Amino acid sequence: MKKISIAIMLFLVMILAGCGSSGSPERLWNRYVAAMNAHDLEKVAAVYYAADSLEYNQFLETNPAEVYFADFDSIKTRSFEAVIVNKNYYAANIVIGLTLGSETTRKEFVVYYYKDTNYGWKFTGEINATAYDMALLGNQPDANFYANVVKTADGFDYKYIYGGLTGEVSDQDYVKIVAPISNSANVVIPESIEGVPVKVIGDFAFFDYFRLLSITLPTSKLETIEFPNTLTTIEQYAFYQAKNLKSLTFPESLKEVGKYAFASCTNMETLTINVDESAMYAPENLLYLNSRDSMFLNANRRVYMEDTIFMSASGASVDWSTDDPAVATIESNGKLTLVAPGTVTVRATNKDDVTLYSEADITILPKADKTITSTTTVEIYRYTIKRDWYIGDTQTLNVTSENVAWSTSDPNIATIDANGKVTAVGTGTVTITADSTTSEVTSTATVTVLPAADRNVITTYSYTPIEFTGARKMYVADLIELTTTGFDLGEILWTSSNSAVATVSMYEGVVQALAKGNAIITATSTENPNIFSTVNINVAEVTAAITFAENSLDRLNSLKELYVNAINPYSVAWKGTLHLPDTCKIYVPAQNYETYLIIWSDFADLDMIYVIPE
């Protein structure tokens, strides 16, 4: 009896081994690869079907080995990544190296599985790993898979993609449109499905066609489509050969457009590309810079006895002096020696022209006034805090007791963390409090926060200094115009310290950013070269807001107008070459129009670039 039971068990194992089952989807895939690399047609058939079944025999009869294995020598799995996982259905994105002779080709596709109640994991259909047509690679989900994993709502088949752990809802989840339910002329993609944003339109989603033998005939009826401002990705071939599509607008949210996504939309006439450049050009993110005259003086307006003070001018070589040696003296290197509390005027005289000088008043206070001691009746909660505060300043306060809780009377003026670190964030008067966590003891001190600009001395000049506006942090390809006050064209000569990073026009003050780095822009008086003002401009690289893959906009033969709503030309990245009809007009923002003419010179040479009409 025992021998019979063992025999039955072995028989069942043999059946299971021959019916395409596996302990995991990846193991089943590995069985398929091994069978293919062995060029053993029977083993390949056994991956799909039970040995000697009708389907198994039909597979062997309809697939002669010399034909089936003709297009490759071997397959090597480069990556196997699960994209859909549940107890009954599974899909993996697989990348292989397909070798034929001495040439190895990278291929990427999705393989679908389902779980048979008797035999475990099986492929939903036979796999094609050698096809040249990307749409034919991998296998296809069967009806059950499609019904259970690809869902339907709002007129679309879609996939719910988990951004975190599969099956666990998070704010990173999103929806991928697989295909429209019907071949419609007018389509609106919803912002959300199942309460999560629609972010992706999948490959071949709207590629509607009829195949006649080896010929593919486009049948898309699509004329208009509206994208939501949640969309980030349009995958390859998504709208391939949508020949009735005449106008298209990309939302600012869109980041990637795949290969051939809109290729052969041969009747498209107008295309608008909107990009999100707020991180660079939104008013709150523009970092404007102040010019500094060469004799602008650098030093704190208020200082305290025993402080070490060094003064400096902003570029000019100067001789130093003070008006009251009884209060302070100054050495040739700008070191200020504090003699007594009071106010002293410091003068810097230009060594190259003694008629040019600048002055500043400095208030000197007793050392004891430099800090404030908190008010409390218990010594272990007493702390000291500096008297002078400016926006951006920090200080960590300390008390002897460990049982303390810190607070601020106005977090819009100063914040304080659990460790006693104070940060000045706004102007005004604020009280910092240390409370005992074990008793009713309180320790407080009140300070006033001033604007950061009030820290430095106020500089006055014996001449009219050069002041200019318009300087800011720049990005490669930016253009800005610097403007002086009180000077006419020709009275100022502009130069750049690093023309590889940024150039400036000699008389107009137009700065063009060329490369990442820093450049000092100088405005010099043509009447007196000893009068000049500078600003240090930082140029940053541009991170593209949207990237178009190779041939994503290929063969738009009827395109008449391309609107590029991007201030910076590099905010739109093209992999490969953008081909447009010679009759197409490209409209760009006025702000960097001149840069577009340089960077898109091939189109500029054909007189194709214009400023977007207001």
Side-chain angles (χ1 to χ4, degrees):
M1 185 68 181
K2 190 173 182 180
K3 291 182 178 180
I4 294 174
S5 298
I6 293 173
I8 292 173
M9 290 176 64
L10 288 173
F11 178 71
L12 290 173
V13 169
M14 291 173 64
I15 291 176
L16 290 173
C19 65
S21 65
S22 178
S24 73
E26 189 168 5
R27 287 181 183 175
L28 183 60
W29 166 256
N30 290 338
R31 272 188 63 198
Y32 165 78
V33 171
M36 291 291 286
N37 287 339
H39 290 222
D40 190 328
L41 194 63
E42 291 184 355
K43 287 185 177 180
V44 174
V47 171
Y48 299 131
Y49 311 109
D52 294 324
S53 65
L54 177 62
E55 294 87 352
Y56 175 91
N57 291 323
Q58 286 178 339
F59 180 86
L60 295 177
E61 291 172 3
T62 57
N63 293 288
E66 63 271 18
V67 176
Y68 194 85
F69 299 111
D71 291 331
F72 86 108
D73 291 329
S74 65
I75 295 174
K76 183 176 181 179
T77 306
R78 293 183 178 176
S79 68
F80 183 101
E81 181 182 359
V83 291
I84 296 174
V85 180
N86 63 42
K87 64 179 182 179
N88 293 318
Y89 297 93
Y90 189 101
N93 191 79
I94 298 174
V95 178
I96 66 169
L98 183 72
T99 300
L100 177 61
S102 60
E103 183 177 350
T104 298
T105 304
R106 181 186 183 277
K107 291 184 179 292
E108 182 174 355
F109 47 83
V110 177
V111 173
Y112 299 89
Y113 302 77
Y114 73 98
K115 201 165 196 178
D116 188 284
T117 55
N118 295 317
Y119 303 127
W121 289 107
K122 299 185 68 174
F123 293 120
T124 57
E126 296 172 14
I127 297 168
N128 189 334
T130 62
Y132 292 100
D133 188 342
M134 295 177 61
L136 300 179
L137 285 170
N139 66 353
Q140 296 299 316
D142 60 17
N144 287 328
F145 188 102
Y146 214 76
N148 286 277
V149 177
V150 177
K151 304 177 182 180
T152 300
D154 297 336
F156 299 95
D157 291 330
Y158 69 93
K159 293 179 181 178
Y160 187 108
I161 309 298
Y162 292 98
L165 295 175
T166 301
E168 293 186 10
V169 176
S170 74
D171 58 6
Q172 301 300 312
D173 296 353
Y174 64 91
V175 162
K176 175 179 179 178
I177 299 295
V178 174
I181 292 175
S182 61
N183 186 5
S184 302
N186 303 298
V187 174
V188 177
I189 306 291
E191 286 191 357
S192 64
I193 297 177
E194 290 192 51
V196 299
V198 175
K199 290 189 175 183
V200 179
I201 296 177
D203 53 0
F204 300 93
F206 287 82
F207 177 31
D208 207 285
Y209 64 92
F210 171 75
R211 188 181 294 278
L212 179 63
L213 299 177
S214 60
I215 300 175
T216 299
L217 303 174
T219 57
S220 173
K221 298 178 181 178
L222 186 65
E223 295 180 6
T224 66
I225 186 163
E226 293 182 24
F227 297 123
N229 207 34
T230 56
L231 188 68
T232 62
T233 305
I234 298 176
E235 294 184 346
Q236 60 186 3
Y237 291 92
F239 294 88
Y240 184 57
Q241 293 187 339
K243 294 182 179 293
N244 295 322
L245 191 60
K246 291 187 176 181
S247 179
L248 190 64
T249 299
F250 292 141
E252 288 186 355
S253 58
L254 188 61
K255 306 300 179 188
E256 296 181 34
V257 179
K259 293 180 180 180
Y260 295 95
F262 293 91
S264 296
C265 293
T266 51
N267 288 307
M268 189 181 297
E269 296 180 354
T270 304
L271 174 61
T272 301
I273 301 172
N274 295 308
V275 302
D276 181 6
E277 296 178 301
S278 59
M280 294 193 293
Y281 299 117
E284 63 271 19
N285 292 327
L286 287 175
L287 180 60
Y288 282 95
L289 307 168
N290 295 319
S291 63
R292 288 274 180 96
D293 186 89
S294 65
M295 295 188 65
F296 178 89
L297 301 182
N298 301 289
N300 284 352
R301 192 179 303 183
R302 288 161 55 94
V303 298
Y304 295 86
M305 294 297 295
E306 298 187 18
D307 283 354
T308 299
I309 308 297
F310 280 90
M311 297 193 67
S312 64
S314 299
S317 296
V318 299
D319 290 319
W320 297 98
S321 62
T322 66
D323 70 336
D324 190 349
V327 176
T329 61
I330 191 166
E331 300 175 21
S332 60
N333 63 355
K335 183 179 180 181
L336 192 67
T337 300
L338 311 181
V339 179
T343 300
V344 66
T345 300
V346 179
R347 173 178 288 191
T349 302
N350 194 305
K351 289 184 177 182
D352 297 317
D353 185 344
V354 295
T355 66
L356 305 178
Y357 61 85
S358 59
E359 293 181 334
D361 291 337
I362 294 180
T363 299
I364 303 169
L365 301 168
K367 179 181 179 182
D369 293 347
K370 192 171 185 177
T371 60
I372 298 172
T373 301
S374 65
T375 301
T376 182
T377 58
V378 180
E379 182 66 27
I380 61 173
Y381 291 99
R382 184 168 287 119
Y383 62 87
T384 57
I385 185 170
K386 63 181 185 175
R387 182 181 299 275
D388 296 336
W389 282 86
Y390 303 91
I391 292 176
D393 283 0
T394 64
Q395 182 185 355
T396 299
L397 307 179
N398 296 291
V399 295
T400 303
S401 176
E402 295 180 354
N403 304 314
V404 63
W406 296 98
S407 63
T408 172
S409 63
D410 192 340
N412 293 315
I413 297 175
T415 62
I416 188 167
D417 64 18
N419 297 316
K421 182 179 180 180
V422 181
T423 302
V425 295
T427 59
T429 299
V430 64
T431 298
I432 303 300
T433 301
D435 287 313
S436 170
T437 59
T438 58
S439 65
E440 295 183 358
V441 176
T442 296
S443 181
T444 64
T446 300
V447 296
T448 298
V449 179
L450 300 175
D454 288 359
R455 186 194 308 272
N456 200 74
V457 295
I458 298 173
T459 306
T460 59
Y461 304 89
S462 65
Y463 56 93
T464 301
I466 299 173
E467 296 178 349
F468 57 85
T469 58
R472 62 168 172 82
K473 177 182 178 180
M474 299 181 71
Y475 295 87
V476 175
D478 273 355
L479 285 175
I480 59 173
E481 184 174 358
L482 306 180
T483 304
T484 58
T485 302
F487 294 88
D488 295 328
L489 184 68
E491 294 181 341
I492 298 294
L493 183 67
W494 297 92
T495 56
S496 169
S497 66
N498 192 344
S499 58
V501 171
T503 60
V504 60
S505 56
M506 184 177 297
Y507 296 108
E508 294 82 5
V510 176
V511 181
Q512 181 179 1
L514 301 178
K516 178 182 178 181
N518 290 280
I520 297 174
I521 304 300
T522 301
T524 303
S525 168
T526 54
E527 292 185 0
N528 187 341
N530 294 307
I531 300 176
F532 62 91
S533 185
T534 62
V535 68
N536 187 356
I537 291 181
N538 171 257
V539 178
E541 292 180 335
V542 179
T543 299
I546 183 170
T547 300
F548 290 87
E550 297 91 336
N551 303 308
S552 55
L553 301 178
D554 196 30
R555 298 190 294 277
L556 304 185
N557 301 333
S558 300
L559 195 65
K560 297 178 181 178
E561 297 173 328
L562 172 61
Y563 291 87
V564 183
N565 289 316
I567 294 172
N568 196 298
Y570 291 121
S571 289
V572 182
W574 309 94
K575 292 185 176 179
T577 302
L578 175 64
H579 298 285
L580 296 175
D582 293 349
T583 54
C584 178
K585 293 184 177 180
I586 304 171
Y587 292 95
V588 301
Q591 183 169 331
N592 276 347
Y593 170 72
E594 297 295 333
T595 304
Y596 271 96
L597 295 180
I598 296 170
I599 295 175
W600 292 17
S601 58
D602 289 346
F603 297 127
D605 291 344
L606 297 174
D607 195 26
M608 293 172 63
I609 302 179
Y610 300 84
V611 174
I612 295 176
E614 295 184 359

